[in-house]
Amino acid sequence: MTNIPPPAEELRLLDAELRQLDARRAVLLRRREWLVHVLRTASAQRSVPGAGQMPPVWPVAPGAAAPRTEATAPGVQNVLLLLGGILLTVAAIAFTLVGWGHLGITGRALVLAAVTLAALSAPVWLLRRGLGSTAEAVAALGMALTVLDAYALHEVAFGGSGGLGYAAAASAVLSAAWAAYGTAADLLVPRSDAGSPTRPDRARAGAATAARPALRLPLPCAVVTAQVPLLLWALAVDAGPHTLTAVLLVTAAADTVVALRPAHAPVRIVGLVGACVAGALGVLSAGWLCWSAAAPVAAARGAALLLLAAAIALAAARYAPKPEVALCASLAAGLCLVAGAGGVLRAWLPGEWTVPGCLALGIALLTAVRTPLPRPMRQGVVGASLVVQGLAVLWTLPLVAGTLLGPVALIERPWSGTPLDIRDAVFPDAAWPSYATAAPLVLAAVAGVLALAERRAVRRPASGVGALVLAWAAVVVTPVVLELPYGAGLVAHGAVVVVTLGVAERARRGTGGPSAPALTALVLALVTSVTLALVSLATEAGTIAVLLALAALFGVASTRAGLVAFTAPTALAHATALACAAGASAGLRPEHTALLVLVVPAVAALVAARAARAGRSAATVTVEAAGAGAALLALALAVTDLPVLASVLALCGVVAAGTALRPERLRAGHAAAALFLLAAWVRLAAWEVTTPEAYTLPVSVAALAVGHLRRRRDPSVSSWAAHGAGLSVTLVPSLLAMWGNPHWLRPLLLGTAALAVTLVGARSRLQAPLVLGGGTLALVALHELAPYIAQVVGVLPRWAPPALAGLVLLALGATYEQRLRDARRLREALGRLH
């Protein structure tokens, strides 16, 4: 039986075998480098006359780096051939244009023709001997000489003809001649002799790709030259823009035929590039002619050109070898058809109905789905339809954005009076778009197409979401377009809010949880409610009624478990706005209105507690965030009146303390303490109290009490963590106030308190009270002795301070070691304290 080793042992054996193979491969590579070097050296010595016998060449050491060449031999050869061809071409041009010398016009032409014939004949001889690169260079020189021959022929025989006309004929002849020259080279040179024998045979590339021609330059150059004859002819006969556009499209059609032929790859690439460039220029020109025409007949002529472009693109898509090319070509064909028909419609219909007409044509392209066209072509036509629909939707965006953002201008002048209609309220300052009448129809049509696609397709939620958004946009702008009365417009927008909330609830029930349609409908409801609230700012009664209705509506919607995370904060936001509006309606000052706004944080705390008990953490966070926002607004409103601000801070602290009663919100207690402290400080500032202890002592007492309780629960807590902050809050401000106060009462009280803190720290063996109290007591004593020290220093002679300093230094130097030992003992004693 075969002994199969365990996996670990087998893996070890495999690693060992691989290492041996790598080592053997490295040896073989080094041997190969040595052999190549030997052969190259032998070849070089044989090429040098009188060379002696080749000296022995040893292989490179394993660790040494082989010499690296800067350029390859074929690269050097190609560079030399290219430079030689360029220099010969320049010389021929100089001979043709400048250096005619004493030769007559006919003699010069005959000389140039003879040189050209020799340059064109030499590549065949070179190819049969395997000199492919040299043949390419000489062939390029010959083709350049044919251009000079054409120029010479014009100077000799056709000097009186027009320049553009002769250039058109010459470019056509040159293109045909170069194509015939490249084909003849393939026929005259055997396939085995075409190109360098050192290159790999490219016939193995596949049956789909034609074999490489004997000369690679003539055919691509012929295709490039064939781009200009028709265009030069049109310019020569002073053709109009329609004829020039037709010439571009015909040239693109010819390039398309070349690109679709099973020719050599460079020829196909040149044809493809030419087709794209000429076709793009022709389509742009035809589109400009069609859409700028004032009369229907002129528009129809431009549309005919676009129809020709579409036919070329469809033919290219039909015979394209790759699906991607067929898709792009059919997409371009669909867009050309819609652009042409749209230009004709623009000349017949009013301007605002042009885009709806183009949209109808774009939607009609969707019928290609049921045609027997290949799949890539159907996808391209459908893509063209989607592009047209997307552009139509973009055309309506200014109206939709104006409807949503226009009422923002009412914030600067609220309750300015009842507008004439809803359009006057939505567009108080902005200009009304002239095309707005057809915008709802466009939005509704695209929404219908997306809804139908979502119904017939499987797992396409994006279509449903897009249909919902576009239908909502159509409904929102319709009251503005119809110029409904102001009250009717408010009711219509309110109905949109109710309907979108209903759609969100239905979508949530259908999926059993949050989904893209449900979230989209919720966002649309929120956006509509904000717009409605802004529009209602035109009148006082409308503002209060709308805000009250919105707060109640979203409050009722908050009873649904899946919507509360969005609807509850929205209800609180509208309630906050309602409180501000009610205060302004009652004539209250802003600081007194802040007391009304504080109702919202209190309600938010209750709603958040209920949501927490129900296990809806997301709703809890959003509701608390809305309540915090309302509290900040109340503080901002009350900041101008200190007594009211103190009351608002205290009430906010009460709300925060109530929130801290929940186990998961214990940290809210810190916010409550901070709010109470700020309320006390603001109240003291309102009473014009300037004594710092009045602000710091309450904080110190509370902090010391908390620290004492903490150390009782956990004796390992450091005294600095428990009592350091509480003591510093009072001692440091009092010290700062003492240095600028000449009276004796503050130093006496502060010194007494510092002595008491020091004694308590010494008795309890606590580091923080001992250090802070002792340091404060020393500073107080220094403050009291400062005048006497200054008086003594003024009495002493001037030499006394330096002498005293010297004695001190001597004393310190004499007892340095003793002082260090005492310092270490003091540090160890303090370290033993808690």
Side-chain angles (χ1 to χ4, degrees):
M1 296 179 64
T2 303
N3 184 17
I4 300 176
E9 181 65 17
E10 185 177 1
L11 180 61
R12 187 184 64 79
L13 294 175
L14 289 177
D15 292 339
E17 291 289 339
L18 291 174
R19 284 194 296 270
Q20 293 179 2
L21 290 175
D22 292 338
R24 181 60 180 168
R25 184 175 184 274
V27 173
L28 293 176
L29 288 175
R30 287 197 297 272
R31 180 64 180 175
R32 180 182 181 279
E33 293 176 358
W34 178 74
L35 291 174
V36 170
H37 182 67
V38 169
L39 292 175
R40 288 180 177 175
T41 305
S43 176
Q45 286 190 352
R46 283 196 300 270
S47 63
V48 178
Q53 186 178 3
M54 180 183 65
V57 180
W58 302 100
V60 182
R68 185 176 66 88
T69 57
E70 295 280 333
T72 61
V76 174
Q77 165 193 298
N78 294 332
V79 170
L80 295 177
L81 291 175
L82 178 62
L83 290 176
I86 292 174
L87 292 177
L88 288 175
T89 303
V90 172
I93 294 173
F95 173 75
T96 305
L97 299 179
V98 180
W100 293 95
H102 61 280
L103 295 176
I105 190 68
T106 305
R108 293 192 294 263
L110 290 176
V111 170
L112 190 61
V115 175
T116 302
L117 184 60
L120 292 176
S121 302
V124 176
W125 181 81
L126 293 171
L127 286 172
R128 288 179 176 178
R129 283 156 180 77
L131 302 176
S133 299
T134 306
E136 294 284 353
V138 176
L141 174 62
M143 289 188 294
L145 290 175
T146 57
V147 179
L148 297 177
D149 287 334
Y151 171 76
L153 184 61
H154 177 267
E155 294 295 326
V156 171
F158 300 99
S161 63
L164 287 177
Y166 180 80
S171 60
V173 173
L174 286 176
S175 176
W178 290 349
Y181 178 65
T183 306
D186 281 343
L187 296 176
L188 294 176
V189 179
R191 183 57 55 191
S192 59
D193 293 339
S196 175
T198 61
R199 296 192 179 186
D201 185 15
R202 299 187 181 182
R204 296 173 292 178
T209 304
R212 181 177 69 83
L215 292 175
R216 290 174 288 181
L217 288 178
L219 292 178
C221 291
V223 176
V224 172
T225 308
Q227 307 296 314
V228 296
L230 287 178
L231 184 59
L232 292 176
W233 168 81
L235 294 175
V237 298
D238 294 330
H242 290 84
T243 305
L244 288 173
T245 304
V247 165
L248 288 173
L249 293 177
V250 171
T251 304
D255 290 331
T256 303
V257 173
V258 173
L260 295 178
R261 288 182 64 251
H264 188 44
V267 178
R268 294 200 310 273
I269 293 173
V270 172
L272 180 61
V273 172
C276 293
V277 173
L281 294 176
V283 168
L284 292 176
S285 177
W288 178 79
L289 292 173
C290 182
W291 282 79
S292 63
V297 177
R301 293 176 63 189
L305 294 173
L306 288 172
L307 183 62
L308 174 61
I312 297 172
L314 286 176
R318 178 66 180 82
Y319 297 102
K322 293 184 179 181
E324 297 82 3
V325 178
L327 190 149
C328 295
S330 55
L331 173 65
L335 293 177
C336 289
L337 287 174
V338 174
V344 176
L345 288 176
R346 175 187 170 276
W348 282 95
L349 299 176
E352 61 184 359
W353 295 102
T354 302
V355 173
C358 293
L359 176 62
L361 296 172
I363 294 174
L365 291 178
L366 294 176
T367 57
V369 177
R370 299 189 177 276
T371 59
L373 292 174
R375 180 180 177 83
M377 294 184 65
R378 295 199 306 270
Q379 291 178 343
V381 176
V382 172
S385 175
L386 295 179
V387 170
V388 173
Q389 296 180 52
L391 293 176
V393 171
L394 290 177
W395 176 73
T396 64
L397 281 184
L399 176 62
V400 178
T403 303
L404 297 178
L405 302 178
V408 176
L410 294 174
I411 296 178
E412 299 179 357
R413 49 179 185 274
W415 301 347
S416 57
T418 305
L420 298 176
D421 49 39
I422 191 64
R423 181 187 297 183
D424 188 30
V426 172
F427 286 86
D429 297 328
W432 175 251
S434 59
Y435 57 83
T437 305
L441 180 61
V442 170
L443 293 169
V446 180
V449 172
L450 291 178
L452 184 61
E454 192 270 339
R455 176 173 296 181
R456 295 190 176 183
V458 181
R459 297 179 181 178
R460 296 285 180 88
S463 300
V465 171
L468 178 60
V469 173
L470 293 178
W472 166 81
V475 174
V476 167
V477 301
T478 298
V480 184
V481 172
L482 297 178
E483 297 185 66
L484 295 180
Y486 178 68
L490 294 179
V491 173
H493 281 80
V496 173
V497 177
V498 174
V499 171
T500 49
L501 285 176
V503 171
E505 176 61 19
R506 182 178 179 181
R508 185 192 66 83
R509 288 182 179 179
T511 57
S515 59
L519 294 178
T520 303
L522 272 175
V523 172
L524 296 178
L526 300 181
V527 172
T528 311
S529 67
V530 173
T531 302
L532 177 58
L534 293 174
V535 174
S536 67
L537 290 175
T539 61
E540 179 179 351
T543 302
I544 295 177
V546 167
L547 292 176
L548 181 61
L550 289 175
L553 176 62
F554 282 97
V556 172
S558 301
T559 58
R560 303 297 181 181
L563 307 179
V564 64
F566 297 91
T567 55
T570 307
L572 293 173
H574 288 303
T576 303
L578 176 61
C580 295
S585 178
L588 299 179
R589 298 174 59 184
E591 56 270 19
H592 296 150
T593 304
L595 299 175
L596 290 177
V597 176
L598 283 178
V599 177
V600 177
V603 175
L606 297 176
V607 174
R610 182 178 178 182
R613 287 194 299 269
R616 297 191 289 267
S617 58
T620 302
V621 174
T622 56
V623 168
E624 289 176 346
L632 290 177
L633 177 60
L635 293 175
L637 291 174
V639 73
T640 57
D641 193 327
L642 292 182
V644 178
L645 179 61
S647 302
V648 171
L649 287 169
L651 292 175
C652 291
V654 172
V655 175
T659 303
L661 296 177
R662 290 158 40 200
E664 72 277 9
R665 289 291 185 267
L666 291 177
R667 293 184 178 275
H670 302 296
L675 289 171
F676 285 133
L677 177 61
L678 289 175
W681 285 358
V682 171
R683 175 59 64 179
L684 291 174
W687 289 338
E688 299 181 357
V689 176
T690 58
T691 303
E693 287 79 11
Y695 296 90
T696 59
L697 278 177
V699 181
S700 294
V701 171
L704 292 174
V706 172
H708 178 68
L709 294 176
R710 184 179 179 186
R711 278 188 54 80
R712 287 188 59 182
R713 295 179 181 178
D714 186 7
S716 63
V717 176
S718 171
S719 62
W720 289 102
H723 307 299
L727 293 174
S728 301
V729 167
T730 296
L731 294 178
V732 173
S734 298
L735 277 174
L736 296 177
M738 177 192 67
W739 284 100
N741 190 353
H743 300 286
W744 59 271
L745 182 58
R746 185 184 298 276
L748 176 61
L749 295 177
L750 182 58
T752 303
L755 179 61
V757 170
T758 304
L759 294 177
V760 170
R763 184 177 182 279
S764 303
R765 303 183 65 186
L766 298 177
Q767 192 177 82
L770 184 61
V771 173
L772 293 176
T776 304
L777 186 60
L779 291 175
V780 171
L782 180 62
H783 174 268
E784 294 301 313
L785 292 177
Y788 302 103
I789 295 175
Q791 184 178 2
V792 171
V793 170
V795 173
L796 291 175
R798 294 186 176 182
W799 55 264
L804 181 61
L807 291 175
V808 170
L809 291 176
L810 290 176
L812 288 176
T815 59
Y816 183 73
E817 183 178 1
Q818 180 66 30
R819 294 295 179 267
L820 289 178
R821 184 166 56 251
D822 294 342
R824 284 195 297 269
R825 290 178 180 177
L826 177 60
R827 184 181 60 187
E828 293 173 358
L830 291 175
R832 287 192 296 269
L833 300 178
H834 293 286

